[in-house]
Amino acid sequence: MLMKFYSLSSGIIWHLLSGCDGQEVDFPFELSDQEKEIVQFGKSSFVLGRSGSGKTTVLVMKLFQREQLHHIALRGYHEQGDAVETDEQNVLKQLFVTVNPRLCHFVKQNISRLKRSTCGWNLSAESCEFDLEEIDETFLSSDFPDSFVDIPPSFFPLVITFKKFLLMLDCTMGFSFFDRFPEARACQPEKRKNSMSLTLQTFIRTKEVNYEKFSSSYWPYMNMKLTNRVEPFLVFTEITSHIKGGLQALEAAGGHLSRDDYLAHSERRLSYLTEQERCRIYDIYLEYEKRKGKNGEFDLADFVSDIHVRLRVEGHNFAEMDFVYIDEIQDLTMKQIAVFKHVCRNYGEGFLFAGDTAQAISKGVEFRFKDIRSLFYKTFTIDSGRFGSTSTNTKREISDVLHLSQNFRTHAGVLKLAQSVIDLIYHFFPNSIDELNPETSHVNGVRPVLLQSVDNRSTFKSMSEVIFAAQKKSVEFGAEQVVLVRNEEVKNDVLDQVGSCALVLTILECKGLEFEDVLLYNFFGSSPIVDQWELLHGYMKALNISSPQDECHSRHFSDEKLKVLFHELKLLYVAITRTRQRLWIFDESWNPMLELWKRKGIVQLQHLDSDFLASMRVPSTPEEWKKRGRKFLRVQNYEMARICFKNAAEPYWEKYCQASELRAIADRLRILNPQISRHHLFEAAELFDSIGKDESAAQCYFELEEYKKAGTTNFSSLCLAINR
């Protein structure tokens, strides 16, 4: 499916003959013309590509190429007998950042294997293998650098998550952002050598407000007159991306927009909100900030704003990076992206940004990709004085957005379906996402399948018995297959029917993951909108594929009624692009979108029968289930990881995931229901204790203030925290 080609070289032959110590090796494959152009491009770049187009590959190969050239140059100095500086001065300081911890792990592995594939770059097996438990995006192993000061050369290129990047910046400066909170103040900078003390770990994990906590612990207590008929994800996005996280917020007093500035800013940007709705959102924001302060909690926007202020006032004392690579840029706000200007002054050629705003479904993030170029022009180059005061010279130095349009993940059948969704976004929401030429693939592949039946609900129950073998309690829907659903409510309903016989994920949970086969279940039947989908009847008429009955369904909607449809289309796009091979679509209600696909001939209709259902099953081996469980563990999806380890017959890891899941639930319920939260945390502690995870058990007991039980564990950092 990948259709990648490799050049046979002496280096590759040497590694094939040597066996590479039994370790897997990633040989540098030949890049496509588009990829090669970007890798060889000399200026700071902005790379736009849809899901599976090789964005991460381009970043990794660019990084690896620079490592190779630097290594060759150093070897040349040695051979000529020239004076060589210390290792610290000779190391090429490259930084790779992404929000997704699984992608971070993937990049680390690829870089290590690529280094081993290069003659003379023999790394030990230990340097490229990562512990199964290294899953937390915030707290890496104890020997990982806590700040950017004096990072050992062996850690470069530095590959970290965005949250770890912020924590390292915070620890680099004199005072920590967290010192303003009494619960975290026990870890004063002069008293702690390790910034990731137990007290601070606990505080960050339990006191950060993300969308899940906002919707579960804040939204239900907001003024109902304000929240009525307003979606929480929309409010959180407006707060995080615009009121507190936009470029204008970076320049505003206090790090956030005033009410007047927010209303004026919304008029200038693409927004489908009425002025009345924006006023209500700002009132919700004020109430949210008040409650957050009372709870002693913080959100990521607070942390980022504080870092910006301290970097402007205090500066920093660490050696700056030579090159910075930021992947999945659509998951970051403008203010978050602007932080990187402080760690690298090589604005002319030192930055490579890659992403796709069509995949921007993260709660709290919203922008167009071309906004990043404007940010770079104004905040990185003009404000820094990199090119003086001549704006014409500056614009000439900044590259245009570079496009990747060849897809390496899936085949043309799936790409045509995904493009139909992108075309709708272009049509109904012009300028909302960045335009890109339709993707191509070397492989045609089969068209996605639209499953049809007379009684969908009863059929899904019988279908689950055949596909997932739920009655037999066996597992025949494999580790490379998944059921995708809209939300937790539908997910729980499906899990009640299939149990642990299949993987079931929401679309948000599956972002960044890939599967061979995807069953998209009841996306339209569970949609929060109904009437807005009727807009597609008019769209089909414009394409000359309408029918007479379309006329009676065609309706006109005001702009404010369309905002949820925009989010629906982006969710649908992400769901479609999770598959590498087969895509099945099964829905409880007929939707104009399904009719559009049918009339365009980009889906095939399939009436359900036992033979076809049986053909959908692809059982997996225990090792394959364990491999998939590791992937879920790295993104902290403990529920699905537990199912994988159960199917892999790994009771230790099954219990570990169960305990981790209980602790995560306890964190979410800490304010909403303290009693149940304590109950779950106590269960988690006992489970961790039962499998010998002393440190995790001690941390749970410590949070429960069960110091005697916590003290029985041999956890030195816990004892230090208690003594303080």
Side-chain angles (χ1 to χ4, degrees):
M1 178 60 65
L2 292 178
M3 295 292 286
K4 294 182 178 179
F5 299 88
Y6 300 81
S7 295
L8 189 62
S9 66
S10 58
I12 289 180
I13 292 175
W14 184 87
H15 277 279
L16 289 173
L17 293 175
S18 66
C20 306
D21 299 324
Q23 300 298 316
E24 184 179 353
V25 173
D26 283 350
F27 298 120
F29 57 83
E30 290 190 359
L31 302 173
S32 67
D33 291 340
Q34 286 181 330
E35 292 174 319
K36 191 178 299 182
E37 178 184 353
I38 295 172
V39 170
Q40 295 175 350
F41 193 73
K43 301 177 184 176
S44 292
S45 310
F46 312 88
V47 182
L48 171 63
R50 301 289 180 233
S51 179
S53 60
K55 299 184 296 295
T56 303
T57 296
V58 165
L59 267 64
V60 170
M61 295 304 292
K62 182 81 171 182
L63 180 151
F64 179 62
Q65 182 188 76
R66 283 170 169 160
E67 289 281 346
Q68 280 188 303
L69 292 174
H70 184 70
H71 179 71
I72 292 171
L74 287 181
R75 188 169 57 191
Y77 287 134
H78 281 288
E79 291 174 353
Q80 294 175 18
D82 293 339
V84 179
E85 303 292 338
T86 63
D87 289 341
E88 288 78 5
Q89 293 172 309
N90 274 320
V91 67
L92 185 66
K93 293 181 173 62
Q94 298 201 86
L95 172 67
F96 189 107
V97 178
T98 180
V99 171
N100 189 334
R102 179 182 172 271
L103 182 59
C104 187
H105 177 87
F106 169 80
V107 170
K108 285 181 181 179
Q109 286 188 317
N110 274 10
I111 292 173
S112 293
R113 290 169 181 167
L114 285 169
K115 282 185 176 182
R116 294 211 320 277
S117 72
T118 306
C119 186
W121 284 36
N122 292 321
L123 304 181
S124 65
E126 290 76 19
S127 65
C128 59
E129 293 298 324
F130 299 93
D131 193 347
L132 182 59
E133 297 175 56
E134 191 181 293
I135 57 174
D136 196 312
E137 62 172 313
T138 305
F139 316 114
L140 299 178
S141 57
S142 58
D143 61 345
F144 198 89
D146 293 322
S147 78
F148 285 101
V149 177
D150 299 328
I151 299 177
S154 60
F155 282 94
F156 287 102
L158 194 62
V159 182
I160 54 178
T161 63
F162 180 70
K163 187 172 288 186
K164 178 63 179 178
F165 167 73
L166 293 179
L167 287 165
M168 289 176 69
L169 277 180
D170 179 70
C171 189
T172 297
M173 292 175 280
F175 291 93
S176 171
F177 164 77
F178 303 103
D179 291 335
R180 69 189 63 188
F181 300 97
E183 292 183 46
R185 203 172 294 152
C187 302
Q188 293 293 339
E190 63 269 21
K191 294 182 180 178
R192 54 182 166 92
K193 294 182 179 180
N194 182 357
S195 66
M196 294 296 101
S197 68
L198 176 64
T199 306
L200 186 56
Q201 289 184 36
T202 302
F203 177 82
I204 294 174
R205 199 188 72 250
T206 59
K207 292 296 186 178
E208 181 187 350
V209 181
N210 52 23
Y211 173 72
E212 286 69 28
K213 179 174 283 190
F214 175 81
S215 60
S216 63
S217 299
Y218 282 79
W219 192 256
Y221 299 102
M222 297 286 189
N223 187 334
M224 291 187 63
K225 292 181 180 179
L226 298 176
T227 59
N228 185 35
R229 301 182 66 182
V230 180
E231 293 290 335
F233 81 83
L234 174 66
V235 174
F236 194 71
T237 298
E238 287 293 304
I239 292 173
T240 306
S241 279
H242 301 291
I243 297 177
K244 299 176 69 174
L247 182 57
Q248 290 75 14
L250 180 61
E251 302 164 348
H256 60 83
L257 297 180
S258 66
R259 182 188 297 271
D260 291 341
D261 287 340
Y262 171 61
L263 294 177
H265 169 62
S266 298
E267 291 294 338
R268 292 193 299 267
R269 69 181 175 87
L270 180 70
S271 176
Y272 296 98
L273 296 170
T274 65
E275 182 176 352
Q276 182 182 11
E277 286 175 321
R278 294 196 293 269
C279 286
R280 289 169 59 194
I281 287 173
Y282 202 87
D283 287 336
I284 294 172
Y285 157 69
L286 293 176
E287 185 175 346
Y288 161 66
E289 289 294 317
K290 184 178 179 180
R291 288 182 178 273
K292 178 159 59 70
K294 184 179 179 180
N295 294 337
E297 297 186 323
F298 72 98
D299 58 28
L300 204 57
D302 298 328
F303 192 15
V304 171
S305 293
D306 180 76
I307 285 177
H308 270 292
V309 171
R310 285 188 288 149
L311 284 172
R312 282 199 301 263
V313 175
E314 304 171 21
H316 61 73
N317 62 346
F318 60 84
E320 293 179 353
M321 301 294 124
D322 297 309
F323 301 99
V324 175
Y325 309 81
I326 309 171
D327 202 4
E328 303 290 353
I329 196 76
Q330 73 275 355
D331 292 334
L332 300 177
T333 67
M334 291 290 103
K335 188 184 285 188
Q336 291 170 354
I337 297 169
V339 174
F340 290 99
K341 75 173 184 177
H342 296 285
V343 301
C344 178
R345 303 289 177 177
N346 185 13
Y347 303 130
E349 58 182 19
F351 287 87
L352 189 56
F353 305 92
D356 173 19
T357 46
Q359 298 183 70
I361 62 172
S362 299
K363 298 295 196 304
V365 180
E366 177 184 78
F367 65 85
R368 293 166 296 177
F369 200 84
K370 61 184 179 182
D371 294 335
I372 304 171
R373 190 171 182 271
S374 298
L375 168 77
F376 191 81
Y377 167 65
K378 178 170 175 38
T379 305
F380 283 65
T381 59
I382 292 295
D383 291 352
S384 68
R386 165 67 173 82
F387 301 107
S389 58
T390 307
S391 61
T392 303
N393 292 338
T394 307
K395 291 180 179 178
R396 198 166 25 229
E397 289 287 341
I398 298 176
S399 76
D400 293 328
V401 176
L402 307 176
H403 292 176
L404 289 170
S405 58
Q406 183 175 334
N407 194 288
F408 297 96
R409 175 186 293 160
T410 189
H411 53 77
V414 172
L415 294 180
K416 289 178 182 177
L417 196 71
Q419 186 61 40
S420 71
V421 179
I422 296 295
D423 290 341
L424 284 171
I425 297 177
Y426 289 158
H427 179 80
F428 290 111
F429 310 96
N431 300 317
S432 61
I433 63 172
D434 307 278
E435 291 201 28
L436 183 64
N437 291 331
E439 290 182 282
T440 60
S441 174
H442 289 304
V443 182
N444 288 325
V446 297
R447 288 176 295 168
V449 176
L450 186 57
L451 301 174
Q452 288 188 311
S453 65
V454 178
D455 184 358
N456 286 328
R457 179 167 286 280
S458 61
T459 303
F460 181 75
K461 183 177 180 180
S462 59
M463 181 174 71
S464 66
E465 294 172 356
V466 177
I467 301 178
F468 312 121
Q471 286 187 333
K472 302 176 185 177
K473 304 298 181 184
S474 61
V475 184
E476 300 190 32
F477 205 64
E480 286 298 322
Q481 299 180 288
V482 69
V483 181
L484 285 189
V485 297
R486 168 182 301 282
N487 53 36
E488 289 292 332
E489 183 180 356
V490 182
K491 175 182 173 180
N492 292 333
D493 182 48
V494 173
L495 284 173
D496 286 342
Q497 297 186 55
V498 305
S500 60
C501 296
L503 298 175
V504 185
L505 295 175
T506 66
I507 298 173
L508 281 175
E509 288 175 326
C510 80
K511 188 173 180 296
L513 299 174
E514 303 170 11
F515 297 86
E516 289 296 306
D517 303 326
V518 169
L519 171 59
L520 178 58
Y521 170 63
N522 205 28
F523 178 84
F524 301 103
S526 59
S527 176
I529 60 174
V530 178
D531 295 341
Q532 285 90 327
W533 290 107
E534 293 181 11
L535 282 168
L536 272 62
H537 291 290
Y539 177 75
M540 285 185 276
K541 183 179 180 181
L543 294 179
N544 294 319
I545 56 173
S546 62
S547 64
Q549 58 265 35
D550 289 334
E551 296 294 334
C552 63
H553 292 291
S554 297
R555 297 177 59 184
H556 174 74
F557 295 91
S558 58
D559 287 345
E560 60 266 23
K561 292 288 185 181
L562 297 178
K563 57 184 179 291
V564 181
L565 177 60
F566 177 52
H567 184 69
E568 288 287 285
L569 291 172
K570 290 208 292 185
L571 277 177
L572 182 58
Y573 171 78
V574 171
I576 290 171
T577 55
R578 293 309 93 197
T579 184
R580 288 189 289 258
Q581 291 285 358
R582 298 187 292 179
L583 173 64
W584 306 292
I585 302 166
F586 184 82
D587 219 274
E588 292 180 359
S589 62
W590 190 253
N591 184 279
M593 191 73 190
L594 303 177
E595 187 65 32
L596 171 65
W597 288 340
K598 178 182 174 183
R599 294 181 189 179
K600 293 186 75 171
I602 53 180
V603 294
Q604 54 178 314
L605 304 183
Q606 174 66 50
H607 290 282
L608 296 176
D609 59 59
S610 57
D611 290 339
F612 181 80
L613 293 175
S615 71
M616 295 171 66
R617 299 181 307 202
V618 182
S620 295
T621 64
E623 186 58 36
E624 289 170 333
W625 279 112
K626 184 178 180 180
K627 183 178 179 180
R628 175 59 69 176
R630 293 168 68 101
K631 292 179 180 179
F632 281 129
L633 201 52
R634 292 188 188 105
V635 295
Q636 300 175 21
N637 189 330
Y638 304 118
E639 182 182 23
M640 290 299 108
R642 177 172 53 82
I643 289 176
C644 290
F645 289 124
K646 177 181 179 181
N647 295 335
E650 292 278 352
Y652 173 88
W653 289 111
E654 185 183 352
K655 287 185 177 181
Y656 178 86
C657 292
Q658 185 180 356
S660 299
E661 184 180 2
L662 285 168
R663 183 169 62 179
I665 295 172
D667 289 343
R668 291 195 296 269
L669 295 176
R670 192 176 297 267
I671 295 176
L672 193 64
N673 196 321
Q675 185 175 357
I676 295 180
S677 174
R678 284 185 59 84
H679 175 73
H680 285 317
L681 195 58
F682 194 84
E683 280 191 279
E686 291 186 322
L687 271 173
F688 280 131
D689 201 13
S690 70
I691 58 174
K693 291 296 297 179
D694 294 339
E695 295 184 4
S696 298
Q699 186 176 22
C700 292
Y701 286 131
F702 179 70
E703 293 175 37
L704 290 165
E705 298 181 352
E706 297 280 352
Y707 299 125
K708 185 175 181 180
K709 289 185 177 181
T712 60
T713 64
N714 185 21
F715 193 16
S716 59
S717 60
L718 171 66
C719 298
L720 289 173
I722 295 174
N723 289 336
R724 281 200 293 268

